[in-house]
PDB file of all heavy atoms in Angstrom:
ATOM      1  N   LEU A  36     -20.623  41.005 103.392  1.00 96.00           N
ATOM      2  CA  LEU A  36     -20.163  40.376 102.138  1.00 96.00           C
ATOM      3  C   LEU A  36     -19.258  41.403 101.346  1.00 96.00           C
ATOM      4  O   LEU A  36     -18.565  40.973 100.508  1.00 96.00           O
ATOM      5  CB  LEU A  36     -21.375  40.007 101.314  1.00 96.00           C
ATOM      6  CG  LEU A  36     -22.313  39.034 101.986  1.00 96.00           C
ATOM      7  CD1 LEU A  36     -23.389  38.551 101.007  1.00 96.00           C
ATOM      8  CD2 LEU A  36     -21.644  37.903 102.635  1.00 96.00           C
ATOM      9  N   LEU A  37     -19.483  42.663 101.624  1.00 96.00           N
ATOM     10  CA  LEU A  37     -18.690  43.688 100.935  1.00 96.00           C
ATOM     11  C   LEU A  37     -18.115  44.640 101.979  1.00 96.00           C
ATOM     12  O   LEU A  37     -18.918  44.958 102.939  1.00 96.00           O
ATOM     13  CB  LEU A  37     -19.551  44.464  99.918  1.00 96.00           C
ATOM     14  CG  LEU A  37     -19.955  43.702  98.588  1.00 96.00           C
ATOM     15  CD1 LEU A  37     -20.936  44.622  97.812  1.00 96.00           C
ATOM     16  CD2 LEU A  37     -18.717  43.358  97.805  1.00 96.00           C
ATOM     17  N   THR A  38     -16.988  45.201 101.723  1.00 96.00           N
ATOM     18  CA  THR A  38     -16.433  46.237 102.665  1.00 96.00           C
ATOM     19  C   THR A  38     -15.686  47.232 101.786  1.00 96.00           C
ATOM     20  O   THR A  38     -14.394  47.367 101.908  1.00 96.00           O
ATOM     21  CB  THR A  38     -15.452  45.635 103.740  1.00 96.00           C
ATOM     22  OG1 THR A  38     -14.566  44.749 103.026  1.00 96.00           O
ATOM     23  CG2 THR A  38     -16.211  44.832 104.701  1.00 96.00           C
ATOM     24  N   PRO A  39     -16.472  48.065 101.083  1.00 97.00           N
ATOM     25  CA  PRO A  39     -15.825  49.073 100.240  1.00 97.00           C
ATOM     26  C   PRO A  39     -15.098  50.142 101.046  1.00 97.00           C
ATOM     27  O   PRO A  39     -15.448  50.374 102.305  1.00 97.00           O
ATOM     28  CB  PRO A  39     -17.019  49.625  99.518  1.00 97.00           C
ATOM     29  CG  PRO A  39     -18.156  49.459 100.393  1.00 97.00           C
ATOM     30  CD  PRO A  39     -17.889  48.146 101.093  1.00 97.00           C
ATOM     31  N   ALA A  40     -14.137  50.821 100.514  1.00 96.00           N
ATOM     32  CA  ALA A  40     -13.456  51.927 101.147  1.00 96.00           C
ATOM     33  C   ALA A  40     -14.395  53.130 101.186  1.00 96.00           C
ATOM     34  O   ALA A  40     -15.441  53.057 100.606  1.00 96.00           O
ATOM     35  CB  ALA A  40     -12.154  52.285 100.373  1.00 96.00           C
ATOM     36  N   ARG A  41     -13.949  54.205 101.853  1.00 94.00           N
ATOM     37  CA  ARG A  41     -14.695  55.389 101.844  1.00 94.00           C
ATOM     38  C   ARG A  41     -13.880  56.587 101.399  1.00 94.00           C
ATOM     39  O   ARG A  41     -12.627  56.669 101.584  1.00 94.00           O
ATOM     40  CB  ARG A  41     -15.120  55.653 103.333  1.00 94.00           C
ATOM     41  CG  ARG A  41     -16.043  54.599 103.889  1.00 94.00           C
ATOM     42  CD  ARG A  41     -17.301  54.517 103.090  1.00 94.00           C
ATOM     43  NE  ARG A  41     -18.241  53.501 103.641  1.00 94.00           N
ATOM     44  CZ  ARG A  41     -19.409  53.758 104.275  1.00 94.00           C
ATOM     45  NH1 ARG A  41     -19.779  55.025 104.298  1.00 94.00           N
ATOM     46  NH2 ARG A  41     -20.121  52.799 104.717  1.00 94.00           N
ATOM     47  N   ASP A  42     -14.639  57.461 100.759  1.00 93.00           N
ATOM     48  CA  ASP A  42     -14.115  58.824 100.474  1.00 93.00           C
ATOM     49  C   ASP A  42     -15.006  59.832 101.115  1.00 93.00           C
ATOM     50  O   ASP A  42     -16.047  60.160 100.652  1.00 93.00           O
ATOM     51  CB  ASP A  42     -14.077  59.074  98.976  1.00 93.00           C
ATOM     52  CG  ASP A  42     -13.727  60.466  98.523  1.00 93.00           C
ATOM     53  OD1 ASP A  42     -13.106  61.146  99.408  1.00 93.00           O
ATOM     54  OD2 ASP A  42     -14.069  60.894  97.448  1.00 93.00           O
ATOM     55  N   GLY A  43     -14.593  60.203 102.368  1.00 91.00           N
ATOM     56  CA  GLY A  43     -15.470  60.963 103.211  1.00 91.00           C
ATOM     57  C   GLY A  43     -16.634  60.049 103.630  1.00 91.00           C
ATOM     58  O   GLY A  43     -16.297  59.006 104.212  1.00 91.00           O
ATOM     59  N   MET A  44     -17.816  60.269 103.301  1.00 92.00           N
ATOM     60  CA  MET A  44     -18.885  59.380 103.648  1.00 92.00           C
ATOM     61  C   MET A  44     -19.092  58.343 102.529  1.00 92.00           C
ATOM     62  O   MET A  44     -19.600  57.294 102.808  1.00 92.00           O
ATOM     63  CB  MET A  44     -20.212  60.200 103.800  1.00 92.00           C
ATOM     64  CG  MET A  44     -20.179  61.326 104.770  1.00 92.00           C
ATOM     65  SD  MET A  44     -21.933  61.955 105.082  1.00 92.00           S
ATOM     66  CE  MET A  44     -22.432  60.807 106.388  1.00 92.00           C
TER      67      MET A  44
END
Side-chain angles (χ1 to χ4, degrees):
Chain A
L36 306 187
L37 288 175
T38 48
R41 296 300 180 113
D42 172 21
M44 304 191 89

